[in-house]
């Protein structure tokens, strides 16, 4: 099975930056597509960003485009989410996900999820 562990969350002031990491382990994890989702209190989980394993194409939610960057280091089996120009609206628990099928990952139905890391942006 695949295991995902997020880290890097914390408290930051609006306008600041934060970098989240997702360390993955498993037999075939190096070939899995990876993505980030987030969930604020009393709100539905929403898509944030994703990266395709094969061609490294990236996808972003309109709300974070231009501010967030997803990347991965295949040698370390780790995905990252660089968050810049943070807004209070970005406050949420951020979850890392992985799946062999991109469409499944993109729609929030990934087979593997991390435990989540809290990101709080203060005004």
């Amino acid at each position: 099975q695949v295991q995902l562990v997020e880290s890097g969350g914390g408290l930051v002031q609006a306008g600041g930056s934060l970098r989240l990491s997702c360390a993955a382990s498993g037999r075939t994890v190096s070939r899995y597509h990876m993505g980030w989702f987030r969930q604020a209190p009393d709100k539905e989980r929403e898509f944030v960003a994703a990266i395709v394993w094969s061609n490294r194409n990236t996808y972003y939610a309109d709300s974070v485009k231009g501010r967030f960057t997803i990347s991965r280091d295949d040698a370390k089996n780790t995905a990252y989410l660089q968050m810049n120009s943070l807004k209070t609206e970005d406050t949420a628990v951020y979850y890392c996900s992985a799946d062999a099928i991109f469409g499944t990952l993109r729609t929030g139905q990934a087979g593997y999820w991390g435990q989540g890391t809290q990101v709080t942006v203060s005004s």
Side-chain angles (χ1 to χ4, degrees):
Q1 294 186 327
V2 174
Q3 290 186 314
L4 306 174
V5 180
E6 301 101 330
S7 63
L11 176 65
V12 64
Q13 293 186 350
S17 299
L18 208 59
R19 189 194 194 196
L20 306 183
S21 298
C22 175
S25 62
R27 283 182 171 273
T28 60
V29 68
S30 63
R31 295 186 176 185
Y32 275 40
H33 311 294
M34 301 188 74
W36 291 93
F37 286 73
R38 67 186 182 186
Q39 186 169 23
D42 299 321
K43 293 186 178 181
E44 299 291 330
R45 184 199 298 168
E46 66 174 335
F47 169 76
V48 176
I51 184 166
V52 177
W53 166 77
S54 57
N55 57 23
R56 302 177 70 181
N57 281 352
T58 57
Y59 299 82
Y60 299 93
D62 289 340
S63 60
V64 307
K65 193 172 185 179
R67 298 188 298 120
F68 290 11
T69 302
I70 186 172
S71 62
R72 67 184 297 162
D73 185 333
D74 291 334
K76 297 181 179 180
N77 287 327
T78 301
Y80 304 94
L81 184 67
Q82 178 65 47
M83 305 183 293
N84 298 324
S85 301
L86 283 163
K87 305 175 180 179
T88 55
E89 302 94 288
D90 296 318
T91 295
V93 175
Y94 284 70
Y95 297 91
C96 177
S97 62
D99 202 283
I101 307 298
F102 184 76
T104 302
L105 173 74
R106 177 63 180 80
T107 57
Q109 302 177 72
Y112 303 96
W113 295 86
Q115 82 289 344
T117 185
Q118 177 72 48
V119 172
T120 302
V121 184
S122 62
S123 61

